[in-house]
Amino acid sequence: MITITLMGQLQTTDGERDLACELPTPVTVRQVIQRQGRGLRHMLQLLREKKVLVTINKRIASEDSLVQDGDAVRFVGHDGAGGSGLAPSF
């Protein structure tokens, strides 16, 4: 099982900030996001726009980094201007 934490202004479309996910084999951060479905889908766009920093076990990672059982994944929201733009669109 991995833990996913959304920090700053980030949250799922349901307003959650802490999630858990079972991983039978190592997958990329992108695949973790895709497996979470609609709730985290907006995170991919934010990663591409460089508005989110992702870490795995407190080390900076990318959407192509591998995540494995027992890892802690954190998404830290930042937009450089202190404004919004990080909330999921419905």
Side-chain angles (χ1 to χ4, degrees):
M1 178 176 300
I2 66 164
T3 58
I4 302 168
T5 305
L6 306 177
M7 303 180 75
Q9 296 177 11
L10 297 175
Q11 61 185 1
T12 67
T13 54
D14 295 329
E16 296 177 279
R17 292 182 179 274
D18 296 303
L19 306 161
C21 176
E22 290 288 336
L23 288 184
T25 60
V27 297
T28 64
V29 170
R30 182 183 317 105
Q31 291 169 316
V32 168
I33 293 169
Q34 291 168 339
R35 287 178 180 212
Q36 292 300 307
R38 183 174 168 258
L40 280 184
R41 193 162 295 143
H42 66 288
M43 204 64 59
L44 288 173
Q45 182 64 32
L46 293 174
L47 278 168
R48 287 185 192 109
E49 293 173 359
K50 309 259 189 255
K51 291 184 176 182
V52 170
L53 172 72
V54 61
T55 66
I56 300 172
N57 301 325
K58 299 183 180 180
R59 292 184 175 198
I60 296 173
S62 73
E63 64 181 282
D64 296 317
S65 298
L66 284 179
V67 179
Q68 47 195 327
D69 190 47
D71 284 346
V73 179
R74 288 187 178 170
F75 294 96
V76 182
H78 68 89
D79 66 3
S84 57
L86 299 176
S89 37
F90 299 98

